Amino acid sequence: MSQIQNFTLSEAGYVLGRTPAMLNKAVDTGVIHARQKKVGNMVQRLLGPAELRFLRLADELNKDLTPAGRRRLYGALRKLPDNAHKLQLGRLELDLAQIDIDLNDRMAKLEAVRCRVESTGARGEAVVRGTAVSAHLIAALARDEGIDVVLADFPSITRDQAEAAVEYAKAYPKRGRPYPTKSLKSTLTDLADAGAFDDDGDPGEVAPRAIP
């Protein structure tokens, strides 16, 4: 499994293809357990490899598992070493090899994306590594305008960097006010195309007026 042993709900959601809200519900309802870590004034929920393995297995065995079976499976996975790829559950043996390969692929992609972005500035703004361009801004613009338009607006970044920014924003959503989905350049172009800057005629000289 990956060197990352504790995943935030947004990181785990990226690996599993689930939303953080779905994972929060799974914790709240006792389907899985989460470790807790205090970050400032907030408590962050963290999931480990056992939780990721269980949720992937539960997706595949959903119709075949009773609530008691789910609890038993989860308990066995929590005791299983990360480097063990077979799970013995009574007379049943589960081969986890393909699930672990799939999870490792997604974890490797997450780590690769993290390497393409760095935090800078007093607020720890996430920027495309080697640039001053916000990763979340690139992701917001790409959702509405597409990668090609973003690359035209930001010639200093490559396609790989833009795509990494989009993936980074999925695993690490921006907190607070979202970025606009149109760049200033695109907005001005749209306004120009709509005739917002057209000259309606020569207004002539404007005579000075006395200030009362």
Side-chain angles (χ1 to χ4, degrees):
M1 301 290 281
S2 168
Q3 292 181 352
I4 303 176
Q5 291 301 306
N6 291 301
F7 299 82
T8 65
L9 297 189
S10 61
E11 289 172 333
Y14 179 81
V15 171
L16 294 168
R18 295 190 178 199
T19 65
M22 293 171 66
L23 299 181
N24 250 324
K25 183 177 180 181
V27 175
D28 288 340
T29 56
V31 174
I32 55 175
H33 301 296
R35 299 160 184 80
Q36 294 188 340
K37 177 182 177 181
K38 190 169 183 180
V39 180
N41 296 324
M42 301 177 61
V43 175
Q44 191 175 63
R45 287 177 164 179
L46 301 172
L47 304 182
E51 285 69 44
L52 270 59
R53 280 173 149 181
F54 170 74
L55 290 171
R56 275 299 309 274
L57 270 173
D59 285 342
E60 296 187 10
L61 302 176
N62 182 46
K63 295 180 180 179
D64 301 319
L65 287 176
T66 62
R70 283 174 175 265
R71 290 191 294 270
R72 187 180 176 194
L73 174 61
Y74 181 37
L77 284 170
R78 296 184 73 185
K79 297 176 183 178
L80 189 71
D82 293 346
N83 60 354
H85 305 294
K86 290 187 182 295
L87 175 66
Q88 196 73 36
L89 201 61
R91 297 181 180 180
L92 179 65
E93 182 180 86
L94 296 176
D95 189 346
L96 305 178
Q98 188 56 55
I99 283 178
D100 287 343
I101 289 172
D102 293 343
L103 288 174
N104 274 325
D105 285 346
R106 291 294 295 174
M107 292 174 187
K109 185 171 183 178
L110 175 61
E111 290 184 0
V113 165
R114 284 157 51 103
C115 290
R116 305 298 296 273
V117 175
E118 60 185 346
S119 295
T120 185
R123 297 183 179 180
E125 175 74 11
V127 299
V128 177
R129 186 174 294 277
T131 77
V133 181
S134 166
H136 289 107
L137 173 60
I138 294 299
L141 297 176
R143 282 195 297 271
D144 187 73
E145 301 184 326
I147 292 290
D148 290 335
V149 175
V150 171
L151 293 177
D153 288 346
F154 295 89
S156 63
I157 66 172
T158 66
R159 181 175 294 275
D160 286 345
Q161 288 175 318
E163 291 174 349
V166 171
E167 294 301 308
Y168 181 89
K170 293 177 183 177
Y172 303 96
K174 184 182 184 302
R175 295 181 178 178
R177 182 178 298 178
Y179 277 114
T181 57
K182 274 189 176 294
S183 68
L184 177 59
K185 181 179 179 180
S186 295
T187 300
L188 291 174
T189 299
D190 290 345
L191 288 172
D193 291 342
F197 305 124
D198 291 349
D199 189 356
D200 293 332
D202 184 4
E205 294 188 7
V206 178
R209 298 192 311 173
I211 299 176

